[in-house]
Amino acid sequence: MKKSKRLWIIDWGEALIKIVLGEVNDSGSVRIIDFRIEKNPKQIWPETNPETKRATSKLLRLLFKGYQCTDEVMLLINQAEMMVATFTFPMMSLADLEDAIYWQMQLLTSEDLDHWRIDFVARVQNQWFECLGMDEQTLDVVGVAIKKAQLTRYTRFFKKNGRSLNAIVPQFYTFDSLLIEQDDQSTLIIDIGNRSTRLFHYKGNVLSENNQIELESGWDGVVYLQQIIKAVEQIFISPLGCEKVGRDGTIYLMGGESLHPGVREYLSKSMGTDVQSIDELLEANQSLFFTKQISRAQLCLITPCVCGLMKYAQIRGGKN
């Protein structure tokens, strides 16, 4: 029997740094051993002077208190500079798929993609043509690109401070660990951050659309929420005026800014639907255990880290 694996998941947010230490066993159960939530210091990237270096080392020691040399570390990234796009392709070979994704991602930037790391997730889907009495297999693809120099920067930063990164993972890759795979199920996750809001629309457990709203200077809270509502309407309504989410669609909120009093209620009233907090999905998960007391607000903040552990457990157990 394999020994349970200890894994640190760190989510370096715009305002807060969240880190979770968890343990994953062979059965797929995830045990949260510890978690920490700290303010994100300014000018910590890069380390420009000896004083900053000392502050950085002190912060990393605090965040990784209890770290063992056999532990693994995963960094979640969700930067604005990261390119994310969704595609649907006909069935093709892996080599042809890689070429197709490369050229589609090239359309998103004028820069040379040789300086970018491209990753993707592809799932086989069936399209049923009722009038012809036949079905056709297609590939639903999520492509992600980030500059190689940025990945090198992350790796060096942690290595200089005594922690080697075992994985750098786009944050939203892990969210499908919360979702039950159903073809007709539509889920929207709204991540309201300190400087931007990201919206992830899933069909089943496959990312269908993603959008981002930057918080512009001079916007007050109400104007910001109204911009979020407009973005939600664009996601849920097709150009032909048909609802894409359907009656079974569910909207979840996460992120530090979603915890302000009245935010969830305002969005629920304005959109005419019950907007839920993301922690409700975690609380319903039977394979998740906490060894220390945690508030709903804390659970909401560390959700990406917990999702990282759950995704790792699925892969370790051969479930995905």
Side-chain angles (χ1 to χ4, degrees), residues 124-188:
V124 177
Q125 298 290 332
N126 284 318
Q127 291 185 342
W128 176 253
F129 301 95
E130 187 174 355
C131 60
L132 299 178
M134 60 178 290
D135 61 5
E136 181 178 280
Q137 284 190 322
T138 60
L139 291 170
D140 288 339
V141 179
V142 179
V144 178
I146 188 169
K147 290 184 177 180
K148 294 177 182 178
Q150 186 77 354
L151 296 176
T152 301
R153 180 186 178 191
Y154 292 140
T155 302
R156 288 177 176 173
F157 174 83
F158 280 89
K159 189 173 182 179
K160 285 181 179 180
N161 289 280
R163 302 292 180 264
S164 296
L165 290 177
N166 298 92
I168 301 174
V169 179
Q171 187 190 78
F172 69 89
Y173 266 17
T174 67
F175 290 163
D176 63 8
S177 62
L178 289 172
L179 308 176
I180 300 173
E181 187 171 2
Q182 294 179 346
D183 291 340
D184 58 348
Q185 180 69 37
S186 182
T187 305
L188 178 66

Side-chain angles (χ1 to χ4, degrees), residues 78-89:
N78 201 19
Q79 281 71 16
E81 299 82 9
M82 186 169 61
M83 294 191 297
V84 182
T86 56
F87 316 105
T88 299
F89 296 122

Side-chain angles (χ1 to χ4, degrees), residues 14 80 195-198 212-216 219 224:
E14 297 162 334
R195 297 176 186 170
S196 63
T197 289
R198 293 175 173 87
Q212 180 168 313
I213 303 170
E214 296 293 336
L215 178 55
E216 298 181 5
W219 280 7
Y224 192 27

Side-chain angles (χ1 to χ4, degrees), residues 258-271:
S258 72
L259 298 174
H260 289 298
V263 168
R264 187 172 69 86
E265 292 77 10
Y266 181 88
L267 293 175
S268 295
K269 182 178 180 181
S270 299
M271 293 188 289

Side-chain angles (χ1 to χ4, degrees), residues 3-8 21 23 33 64-73 162-164 166:
K3 184 179 179 181
S4 296
K5 191 68 181 179
R6 283 168 46 111
L7 183 66
W8 297 79
L21 169 61
E23 190 175 62
I33 301 172
F64 285 94
K65 185 178 180 180
Y67 174 84
Q68 301 173 6
C69 61
T70 56
D71 294 347
E72 293 188 3
V73 181
R163 302 292 180 264
S164 296
N166 298 92

